[in-house]
Amino acid sequence: MAHLAARAESLEPIKRHQNTIIISLRDKDISVRRRALDLLYSMCDVDNSELIVGELLRYLKVADYALREEMVLKIAILTEKYASSYKWYVDTILQLISAAGDHVGDEVWYRVVQIVINTEDLQEYAARVVFEHLKAPSTHESLVKVGGYILGEYGHLVANEPGYSPIEQFQVLHAKSQFCVASTRSLLLSTYIKWVNVFPEIKPQLVNIFERYRHVLDAELQQRACEFYALASRPDDDELLQNVCEEMPPFPPRVSALLGRLNMKHVDTEDKRTWVHGGKEANLDRDAMKRKAEGSAPATGTSDDIIGSLAGLDLSVASKEAVDATMFPAPSNQAPRLTVGPNINQWFDKLTYSAEGILYEDDQVQIGLKSRYQGYLGQLAIYIGNKVSAPLSSFTTAIHLSDSDALSVTFAKMPLSTIAPRTQTQQLLHVECKKTFLIPPTLTVSYLAGSHQAISIRLPVVVTKFFEDVKLGPSDFFERWKLIGGPPREDQTIFPITLNNSGQLDMVKCRQIVSGHRLGLLDDVDPNPNNLVAAGVLHMSVEGKVGCLLRLEPNKEAKVSLSVIYFYS
């Protein structure tokens, strides 16, 4: 049927089976699912594009990882080619980025920005819609880029509407920046200087951001911050800021390169004739393009050209963003020998109940970490700073997992091979808890600095990071407590504790540690005020959810504490 759609004069006979083909997307056999995807792509036209794209978007959330990259590419092409309106195009692409951000290349958001800038009637709508998407608790970095660009240019068009004030736009966008790479934060700094020009009421907050970024290690961020700080500090009647921050002019019209790149793809399907859509005329155009390409050398394109035009959607420069950590394997199956240092264990212990802090530091490098978790998923931003005046070359990072069936750790993108003197690089890690695990992953950083150096440290990814605190009343707590019974669902541990300088229990720190492990403290449940009672739910993608009850009984005289943990399903 895919071949028929590629050569038929009319697609109407195939459309009669459209519902059956859509149902086949959920077939148990992946080859059937792939053929259904090819056929939907081939039979799409102006009349059924919204229905097919909508079904593909819904299926994308549960699709096999082997199909997602292919699906994203096809959805982006169909959306652009058969868009019934620009508003539908923007809505669909933003949903695509939200649903499968790791599989969406930069080319797609480049194209969105180009179309919004070239379509005046769309600008206000795009600013409003992208702001609503940014309000979501978890937002992919590509969506932050789109939001930063569009709100910087057209945020003022909606600033007078309730819920879209300048300070609200700033707070929502800036809250997303802490987990972004340096290039994205550079874009956001450009957004902020645009806002200085159009939103004088939030100028103090924006100038404060520039001031802080003037002292970061990243050279690009520091240079932008210094330049923008100087611009923002000029007198209000100075016209230089207004001239610098004028709206972007429309881009010259250019044809999207996505379709051409899709036709050049050779490995995604066994039968290349299914990489066509729109019936016979579309295939005649494709054949003509193919003959033309065979008669001349193909243009490779560069990333600089793409970024400069925001229009040449060249897939040859798009790297696969989700790089499995196993692509950077440890030298053997054995866990690497951990680096020993005076404060390494203390740094690790503190980060097990804190979201950010130092993970490692010596005379040459400093490694910091920020993290956030939601359900069974987590994201770690690892900052690696070069403290010396010479570059760190041959830079690599690797992750070792003791149980890959229980925990998944993937790099967001390939690391840089060189860290310039006194600069900082960032590595993003995506974490997924599948089952319970005991041993945290190990990060190995190696580089050349006169001689080969290797640092292996534990990442503070412990099972409590995937807890969600819950609130229970005294009756609910003790009802569950009594029903659970003893082992294996019960575990008791006695461990030493340290009193404060006055010889008393440091209850503030104890509460901080328990809540930092993402357990909800339950007050007025235990009659002893020194005992801590807490509850939470452990999220796992494979084993589901498991409840946890904790009772911590510190003993000041013995300087020990008894912890009793119950698990229930």
Side-chain angles (χ1 to χ4, degrees):
M1 291 180 73
H3 301 327
L4 180 63
R7 295 297 177 184
E9 296 288 346
S10 172
L11 295 172
E12 292 304 321
I14 302 175
K15 288 182 182 179
R16 298 171 188 169
H17 307 282
Q18 183 170 284
N19 292 335
T20 304
I21 300 167
I22 290 174
I23 294 174
S24 299
L25 284 174
R26 290 162 176 81
D27 193 273
K28 294 181 180 180
D29 190 339
I30 189 173
S31 62
V32 175
R33 296 197 297 270
R34 185 180 289 277
R35 290 302 181 190
L37 173 61
D38 288 337
L39 182 51
L40 283 174
Y41 178 75
S42 298
M43 63 185 285
C44 186
D45 61 13
V46 177
D47 297 328
N48 61 4
S49 59
E50 292 193 18
L51 175 62
I52 288 180
V53 169
E55 287 295 334
L56 292 179
L57 274 175
R58 280 189 286 273
Y59 176 62
L60 180 62
K61 299 176 182 179
V62 295
D64 305 79
Y65 278 92
L67 292 177
R68 288 192 183 184
E69 185 180 6
E70 176 183 336
M71 287 188 67
V72 166
L73 190 56
K74 290 183 174 181
I75 291 171
I77 292 173
L78 294 179
T79 304
E80 182 176 345
K81 186 173 182 64
Y82 298 120
S84 56
S85 70
Y86 282 124
K87 291 183 179 180
W88 178 75
Y89 171 77
V90 170
D91 289 338
T92 304
I93 294 299
L94 292 182
Q95 291 178 41
L96 178 64
I97 296 174
S98 299
D102 288 339
H103 302 275
V104 178
D106 286 342
E107 308 83 10
V108 177
W109 80 262
Y110 293 162
R111 190 66 171 176
V112 175
V113 168
Q114 181 202 10
I115 290 176
V116 170
I117 288 179
N118 287 11
T119 312
E120 185 175 353
D121 296 339
L122 184 62
Q123 293 162 1
E124 181 178 341
Y125 178 80
R128 187 181 298 109
V129 171
V130 77
F131 181 72
E132 291 299 327
H133 276 272
L134 288 173
K135 288 182 179 179
S138 179
T139 306
H140 192 269
E141 192 163 340
S142 294
L143 196 58
V144 177
K145 295 175 183 177
V146 176
Y149 205 108
I150 292 179
L151 290 177
E153 294 291 336
Y154 310 113
H156 63 279
L157 298 178
V158 297
N160 293 327
E161 299 180 17
Y164 299 92
S165 66
I167 187 63
E168 288 173 305
Q169 292 186 38
F170 167 72
Q171 290 172 345
V172 168
L173 191 59
H174 189 62
K176 308 293 183 182
S177 66
Q178 57 180 326
F179 295 107
C180 296
V181 298
S183 59
T184 304
R185 283 182 285 163
S186 296
L187 185 151
L188 294 182
L189 288 182
S190 299
T191 300
Y192 298 158
I193 193 61
K194 294 262 186 177
W195 282 349
V196 169
N197 184 42
V198 296
F199 298 148
E201 59 267 41
I202 61 171
K203 181 177 178 179
Q205 293 93 323
L206 300 172
V207 172
N208 182 49
I209 298 296
F210 297 145
E211 170 63 28
R212 284 195 285 135
Y213 273 91
R214 290 169 66 192
H215 308 288
V216 298
L217 292 177
D218 187 273
E220 172 67 19
L221 278 173
Q222 187 182 86
Q223 180 177 347
R224 287 199 186 205
C226 290
E227 293 173 352
F228 293 160
Y229 181 82
L231 272 175
S233 302
R234 298 177 72 87
D236 293 338
D237 58 351
D238 195 317
E239 296 183 356
L240 178 61
L241 179 62
Q242 299 178 14
N243 294 333
V244 170
C245 297
E246 287 184 353
E247 285 188 5
M248 286 288 294
F251 292 97
R254 291 181 60 180
V255 178
S256 169
L258 278 176
L259 183 58
R261 291 300 170 185
L262 186 58
N263 289 333
M264 292 169 61
K265 206 169 177 68
H266 298 299
V267 297
D268 286 0
T269 60
E270 295 178 0
D271 193 334
K272 297 188 213 47
R273 285 179 293 176
T274 61
W275 283 91
V276 288
H277 64 91
K280 187 175 181 180
E281 292 184 2
N283 282 272
L284 292 175
D285 293 341
R286 173 178 176 265
D287 291 341
M289 291 173 60
K290 184 177 179 181
R291 288 193 298 269
K292 182 178 179 181
E294 289 173 350
S296 60
T300 58
T302 65
S303 59
D304 291 339
D305 176 65
I306 293 173
I307 296 174
S309 67
L310 290 178
L313 308 186
D314 191 342
L315 294 185
S316 64
V317 302
S319 61
K320 187 177 180 182
E321 287 194 76
V323 184
D324 198 303
T326 56
M327 291 182 66
F328 306 93
S332 68
N333 292 330
Q334 284 189 328
R337 185 184 298 274
L338 294 176
T339 302
V340 179
N343 298 313
I344 294 178
N345 290 334
Q346 290 89 326
W347 289 329
F348 172 83
D349 291 340
K350 185 175 181 179
L351 282 170
T352 59
Y353 60 87
S354 303
E356 59 183 82
I358 295 177
L359 189 59
Y360 177 83
E361 186 171 14
D362 59 21
D363 294 336
Q364 293 181 328
V365 298
Q366 182 187 67
I367 303 176
L369 179 141
K370 289 185 179 180
S371 63
R372 63 177 177 182
Y373 294 85
Q374 184 174 5
Y376 55 80
L377 299 176
Q379 185 182 64
L380 278 67
I382 300 175
Y383 301 88
I384 304 170
N386 179 4
K387 298 170 61 176
V388 298
S389 57
L392 305 181
S393 58
S394 301
F395 177 78
T396 61
T397 55
I399 293 291
H400 178 271
L401 297 172
S402 61
D403 187 358
S404 58
D405 292 332
L407 185 68
S408 169
V409 181
T410 57
F411 287 101
K413 55 182 62 178
M414 299 281 286
L416 298 174
S417 61
T418 302
I419 304 180
R422 305 194 185 282
T423 61
Q424 184 185 73
T425 187
Q426 176 181 298
Q427 281 280 278
L428 283 178
L429 293 176
H430 299 296
V431 184
E432 178 183 355
C433 177
K434 303 176 182 177
K435 305 176 183 178
T436 56
F437 62 94
L438 296 176
I439 303 175
T442 301
L443 170 69
T444 298
V445 177
S446 63
Y447 56 89
L448 290 177
S451 61
H452 180 263
Q453 306 288 334
I455 302 166
S456 294
I457 48 179
R458 294 176 296 167
L459 288 175
V461 180
V462 292
V463 73
T464 55
K465 294 291 187 181
F466 304 96
F467 272 65
E468 177 186 4
D469 65 305
V470 295
K471 297 298 182 183
L472 297 174
S475 58
D476 293 332
F477 179 86
F478 285 110
E479 180 181 354
R480 288 172 171 79
W481 186 272
K482 294 175 183 178
L483 289 175
I484 292 174
R489 294 191 172 188
E490 175 188 345
D491 183 68
Q492 296 188 15
T493 304
I494 298 176
F495 55 91
I497 58 174
T498 303
L499 304 179
N500 59 22
N501 295 333
S502 59
Q504 301 297 320
L505 295 170
D506 192 345
M507 297 306 300
V508 174
K509 184 176 181 180
C510 290
R511 293 177 66 88
Q512 178 187 357
I513 292 175
V514 172
S515 61
H517 281 284
R518 302 174 67 84
L519 289 164
L521 289 166
L522 307 179
D523 296 323
D524 302 324
V525 171
D526 196 299
N528 187 340
N530 288 331
N531 291 349
L532 294 181
V533 177
V537 174
L538 172 61
H539 294 262
M540 298 171 287
S541 61
V542 175
E543 294 186 344
K545 299 179 181 179
V546 176
C548 174
L549 304 178
L550 168 70
R551 190 175 184 181
L552 195 66
E553 303 175 3
N555 187 322
K556 182 178 68 173
E557 287 72 23
K559 296 184 180 180
V560 296
S561 180
L562 168 66
S563 68
V564 184
I565 302 177
Y566 282 138
F567 292 95
Y568 64 93
S569 58

